[in-house]
Coordinates of all heavy atoms in Angstrom, one line a residue:
C144 N 29.5 6.7 14.2 CA 30.6 5.8 14.0 C 31.6 6.5 13.1 O 32.9 6.2 13.2 CB 30.2 4.5 13.4 SG 29.2 3.4 14.6
L145 N 31.1 7.4 12.3 CA 32.1 8.0 11.3 C 32.5 9.3 11.8 O 33.3 10.0 11.1 CB 31.3 8.2 10.0 CG 31.0 6.9 9.2 CD1 30.1 7.3 7.9 CD2 32.2 6.1 8.8
M146 N 32.1 9.7 13.0 CA 32.5 11.0 13.5 C 34.1 11.2 13.6 O 34.5 12.3 13.4 CB 31.9 11.2 15.0 CG 32.0 12.6 15.4 SD 31.1 13.8 14.3 CE 29.4 13.2 14.5
P147 N 34.9 10.1 13.9 CA 36.3 10.3 13.8 C 36.8 10.8 12.5 O 37.7 11.6 12.4 CB 36.9 8.9 14.2 CG 35.8 8.3 15.0 CD 34.5 8.8 14.4
I148 N 36.2 10.3 11.4 CA 36.5 10.7 10.0 C 36.2 12.2 9.8 O 37.0 12.9 9.3 CB 35.8 9.8 9.0 CG1 36.4 8.5 8.9 CG2 35.8 10.5 7.6 CD1 37.8 8.4 8.2
Y149 N 35.0 12.5 10.3 CA 34.5 13.9 10.1 C 35.5 14.9 10.8 O 35.9 15.9 10.3 CB 33.1 14.1 10.6 CG 32.1 13.2 9.8 CD1 31.0 12.6 10.5 CD2 32.3 12.9 8.5 CE1 30.1 11.8 9.8 CE2 31.4 12.1 7.8 CZ 30.3 11.6 8.5 OH 29.4 10.7 7.9
I150 N 35.7 14.6 12.1 CA 36.6 15.4 12.9 C 38.1 15.4 12.2 O 38.7 16.6 12.2 CB 36.8 14.9 14.3 CG1 35.5 14.9 15.1 CG2 37.9 15.7 15.1 CD1 35.4 14.3 16.4
N151 N 38.6 14.3 11.7 CA 39.9 14.3 11.1 C 39.9 15.2 9.8 O 40.9 15.8 9.5 CB 40.2 12.8 10.7 CG 41.6 12.7 10.2 OD1 42.6 13.0 10.8 ND2 41.8 12.2 8.9
N152 N 38.8 15.1 9.0 CA 38.7 15.9 7.8 C 38.7 17.3 8.2 O 39.3 18.1 7.4 CB 37.4 15.5 7.1 CG 37.4 14.1 6.5 OD1 38.5 13.6 6.3 ND2 36.3 13.6 6.2
F153 N 38.0 17.7 9.2 CA 38.1 19.2 9.6 C 39.5 19.6 10.0 O 39.9 20.8 10.0 CB 37.1 19.5 10.6 CG 35.8 19.8 10.1 CD1 34.7 18.8 10.1 CD2 35.5 21.1 9.7 CE1 33.5 19.0 9.6 CE2 34.2 21.4 9.2 CZ 33.2 20.4 9.1
Q154 N 40.3 18.7 10.5 CA 41.6 18.9 10.9 C 42.7 18.8 9.9 O 43.9 18.9 10.1 CB 42.1 18.0 12.1 CG 41.2 18.3 13.3 CD 41.4 17.3 14.4 OE1 42.1 16.2 14.2 NE2 41.0 17.6 15.7
G155 N 42.3 18.6 8.6 CA 43.2 18.5 7.5 C 43.3 17.2 6.8 O 43.9 17.0 5.8
G156 N 42.6 16.2 7.4 CA 42.5 14.8 6.7 C 43.8 14.1 6.8 O 44.1 13.4 5.8
D157 N 44.5 14.1 7.8 CA 45.7 13.3 8.1 C 45.4 11.9 8.3 O 44.7 11.6 9.4 CB 46.6 13.9 9.2 CG 47.9 13.1 9.3 OD1 48.2 12.2 8.5 OD2 48.7 13.5 10.3
R158 N 45.6 10.9 7.4 CA 45.4 9.6 7.6 C 46.0 8.8 8.8 O 45.6 7.9 9.2 CB 45.7 8.8 6.2 CG 44.8 9.3 5.1 CD 45.2 8.3 3.9 NE 44.4 8.8 2.7 CZ 43.2 8.2 2.5 NH1 42.8 7.3 3.2 NH2 42.6 8.6 1.4
N159 N 47.1 9.4 9.2 CA 47.8 8.7 10.4 C 47.0 8.9 11.6 O 47.2 8.1 12.6 CB 49.1 9.5 10.6 CG 50.2 9.2 9.4 OD1 50.1 8.2 8.8 ND2 51.0 10.3 9.1
N160 N 46.0 9.8 11.7 CA 45.2 9.9 12.8 C 44.1 8.7 12.9 O 43.6 8.6 13.9 CB 44.4 11.2 12.8 CG 45.4 12.4 12.9 OD1 46.5 12.3 13.4 ND2 44.9 13.6 12.5
M161 N 44.0 8.0 11.8 CA 43.0 7.0 11.8 C 43.5 5.6 12.1 O 42.8 4.5 11.9 CB 42.4 6.9 10.3 CG 41.6 8.2 9.9 SD 40.1 8.4 11.0 CE 40.7 9.5 12.2
V162 N 44.8 5.5 12.4 CA 45.3 4.1 12.7 C 45.1 3.7 14.2 O 45.4 2.6 14.6 CB 46.8 4.1 12.4 CG1 47.1 4.3 11.0 CG2 47.5 5.1 13.3
N163 N 44.4 4.6 15.0 CA 44.2 4.3 16.4 C 43.2 3.1 16.5 O 42.2 3.1 15.9 CB 43.4 5.5 17.0 CG 43.3 5.4 18.5 OD1 43.2 4.2 19.0 ND2 43.3 6.5 19.2
P164 N 43.7 2.0 17.1 CA 42.9 0.7 17.1 C 41.5 0.9 17.8 O 40.6 0.2 17.5 CB 43.8 -0.2 17.9 CG 44.7 0.7 18.7 CD 44.9 1.9 17.8
T165 N 41.3 1.9 18.6 CA 40.1 2.1 19.3 C 39.1 2.8 18.3 O 37.9 2.7 18.5 CB 40.2 3.1 20.5 OG1 40.7 4.4 20.1 CG2 41.1 2.4 21.5
V166 N 39.6 3.4 17.2 CA 38.8 4.1 16.2 C 38.3 3.1 15.2 O 37.2 3.2 14.6 CB 39.4 5.3 15.7 CG1 38.7 5.9 14.5 CG2 39.6 6.3 16.7
R167 N 39.2 2.2 14.8 CA 39.0 1.4 13.6 C 37.6 0.6 13.6 O 37.0 0.4 12.6 CB 40.2 0.5 13.3 CG 41.4 1.3 13.0 CD 42.6 0.4 12.7 NE 42.4 -0.5 11.6 CZ 43.3 -1.5 11.3 NH1 44.3 -1.7 12.0 NH2 43.0 -2.3 10.2
P168 N 37.2 -0.1 14.7 CA 36.1 -0.8 14.7 C 34.8 0.0 14.4 O 33.9 -0.5 13.7 CB 35.9 -1.3 16.2 CG 37.3 -1.4 16.7 CD 38.1 -0.3 16.0
F169 N 34.8 1.3 14.8 CA 33.7 2.2 14.5 C 33.7 2.5 13.1 O 32.6 2.6 12.4 CB 33.7 3.5 15.3 CG 33.6 3.2 16.8 CD1 34.7 3.1 17.6 CD2 32.3 3.0 17.3 CE1 34.5 2.9 19.0 CE2 32.1 2.9 18.7 CZ 33.2 2.8 19.6
L170 N 34.8 2.7 12.5 CA 35.0 3.0 11.1 C 34.5 1.8 10.2 O 33.9 2.0 9.1 CB 36.4 3.5 10.7 CG 36.9 4.7 11.3 CD1 38.3 5.1 10.9 CD2 36.0 5.9 11.2
I171 N 34.8 0.6 10.7 CA 34.4 -0.6 10.0 C 32.9 -0.6 9.9 O 32.3 -1.0 8.9 CB 35.0 -1.8 10.6 CG1 36.6 -1.8 10.4 CG2 34.4 -3.1 10.0 CD1 37.3 -3.0 11.1
I172 N 32.3 -0.4 11.0 CA 30.8 -0.3 11.0 C 30.2 0.8 10.1 O 29.4 0.5 9.3 CB 30.3 -0.2 12.4 CG1 30.7 -1.3 13.2 CG2 28.8 0.0 12.5 CD1 30.3 -1.2 14.8
G173 N 30.8 1.9 10.2 CA 30.3 3.1 9.5 C 30.4 2.9 8.0 O 29.6 3.4 7.3
F174 N 31.5 2.3 7.5 CA 31.8 2.1 6.1 C 31.2 0.8 5.5 O 31.3 0.4 4.4 CB 33.3 2.2 5.7 CG 33.7 3.6 5.9 CD1 34.7 3.9 6.8 CD2 33.3 4.6 5.0 CE1 35.2 5.1 6.9 CE2 33.8 5.9 5.1 CZ 34.8 6.2 6.1
N175 N 30.6 0.0 6.4 CA 30.2 -1.4 6.0 C 29.1 -1.3 4.9 O 28.0 -0.8 5.1 CB 29.6 -2.2 7.2 CG 29.4 -3.6 6.9 OD1 28.6 -4.0 6.2 ND2 30.3 -4.4 7.5
A176 N 29.4 -1.9 3.7 CA 28.5 -1.9 2.6 C 27.3 -2.7 2.8 O 26.2 -2.4 2.4 CB 29.3 -2.3 1.4
Y177 N 27.5 -3.9 3.4 CA 26.4 -4.9 3.6 C 25.3 -4.3 4.6 O 24.2 -4.4 4.2 CB 26.9 -6.1 4.2 CG 28.0 -6.8 3.3 CD1 29.3 -6.8 3.7 CD2 27.6 -7.4 2.1 CE1 30.3 -7.4 2.9 CE2 28.5 -8.0 1.3 CZ 29.9 -8.0 1.7 OH 30.8 -8.5 0.9
L178 N 25.7 -3.5 5.6 CA 24.7 -2.8 6.4 C 23.8 -1.9 5.6 O 22.6 -1.8 5.7 CB 25.4 -2.1 7.5 CG 26.0 -3.0 8.7 CD1 26.7 -2.1 9.7 CD2 24.9 -3.9 9.3
K179 N 24.5 -1.1 4.7 CA 23.8 -0.2 3.9 C 22.8 -0.9 3.0 O 21.6 -0.5 2.8 CB 24.8 0.7 3.1 CG 25.6 1.6 4.0 CD 26.5 2.5 3.0 CE 27.4 3.4 3.8 NZ 28.4 2.6 4.4
V180 N 23.2 -1.9 2.3 CA 22.4 -2.7 1.3 C 21.2 -3.2 2.1 O 20.1 -3.2 1.5 CB 23.3 -3.7 0.6 CG1 22.3 -4.6 -0.1 CG2 24.3 -3.0 -0.3
V181 N 21.4 -3.9 3.2 CA 20.3 -4.6 3.9 C 19.3 -3.5 4.4 O 18.1 -3.7 4.4 CB 20.9 -5.5 5.1 CG1 19.7 -6.0 6.0 CG2 21.7 -6.7 4.5
Y182 N 19.8 -2.5 5.0 CA 19.0 -1.5 5.7 C 18.1 -0.8 4.6 O 16.8 -0.7 4.7 CB 19.9 -0.4 6.3 CG 19.0 0.5 7.3 CD1 18.6 0.1 8.5 CD2 18.7 1.8 6.8 CE1 17.9 0.9 9.3 CE2 17.9 2.6 7.7 CZ 17.6 2.2 8.9 OH 16.8 3.1 9.7
M183 N 18.7 -0.3 3.4 CA 17.9 0.3 2.4 C 17.0 -0.7 1.8 O 15.9 -0.3 1.4 CB 18.9 0.8 1.3 CG 19.8 2.0 1.8 SD 20.9 2.5 0.5 CE 19.8 3.2 -0.7
G184 N 17.4 -1.9 1.5 CA 16.6 -3.0 1.0 C 15.4 -3.3 1.8 O 14.3 -3.5 1.3
T185 N 15.5 -3.2 3.2 CA 14.5 -3.5 4.1 C 13.4 -2.4 3.9 O 12.1 -2.7 3.8 CB 15.0 -3.5 5.5 OG1 15.9 -4.5 5.7 CG2 13.8 -3.7 6.5
Y186 N 13.8 -1.2 3.9 CA 12.8 -0.1 3.7 C 12.1 -0.1 2.3 O 11.0 0.3 2.2 CB 13.4 1.3 4.1 CG 13.4 1.5 5.7 CD1 14.5 1.2 6.4 CD2 12.3 2.0 6.2 CE1 14.5 1.4 7.7 CE2 12.3 2.2 7.7 CZ 13.4 1.9 8.4 OH 13.4 2.0 9.7
L187 N 12.9 -0.4 1.4 CA 12.3 -0.6 -0.1 C 11.2 -1.7 0.0 O 10.2 -1.5 -0.6 CB 13.4 -0.8 -1.0 CG 13.0 -0.9 -2.5 CD1 12.3 0.4 -3.0 CD2 14.1 -1.2 -3.4
F188 N 11.6 -2.8 0.7 CA 10.6 -3.9 0.8 C 9.3 -3.4 1.5 O 8.2 -3.7 1.1 CB 11.2 -5.0 1.6 CG 10.1 -6.1 2.0 CD1 9.7 -7.0 1.0 CD2 9.7 -6.1 3.2 CE1 8.7 -8.0 1.4 CE2 8.8 -7.0 3.7 CZ 8.3 -8.0 2.8
F189 N 9.5 -2.6 2.6 CA 8.3 -2.1 3.3 C 7.5 -1.2 2.4 O 6.3 -1.2 2.4 CB 8.8 -1.3 4.5 CG 9.3 -2.1 5.6 CD1 10.2 -1.6 6.5 CD2 8.9 -3.5 5.8 CE1 10.7 -2.4 7.6 CE2 9.4 -4.2 6.8 CZ 10.3 -3.7 7.8

Side-chain angles (χ1 to χ4, degrees):
C144 288
L145 294 176
M146 195 57 66
I148 283 286
Y149 302 143
I150 296 174
N151 183 62
N152 289 340
F153 273 99
Q154 294 174 346
D157 185 2
R158 293 182 178 272
N159 293 327
N160 295 335
M161 293 294 99
V162 297
N163 190 331
T165 60
V166 169
R167 294 180 63 185
F169 294 100
L170 299 183
I171 292 174
I172 296 174
F174 288 117
N175 192 288
Y177 300 106
L178 288 177
K179 295 183 180 70
V180 168
V181 172
Y182 192 80
M183 294 176 66
T185 300
Y186 277 95
L187 182 59
F188 168 77
F189 289 155

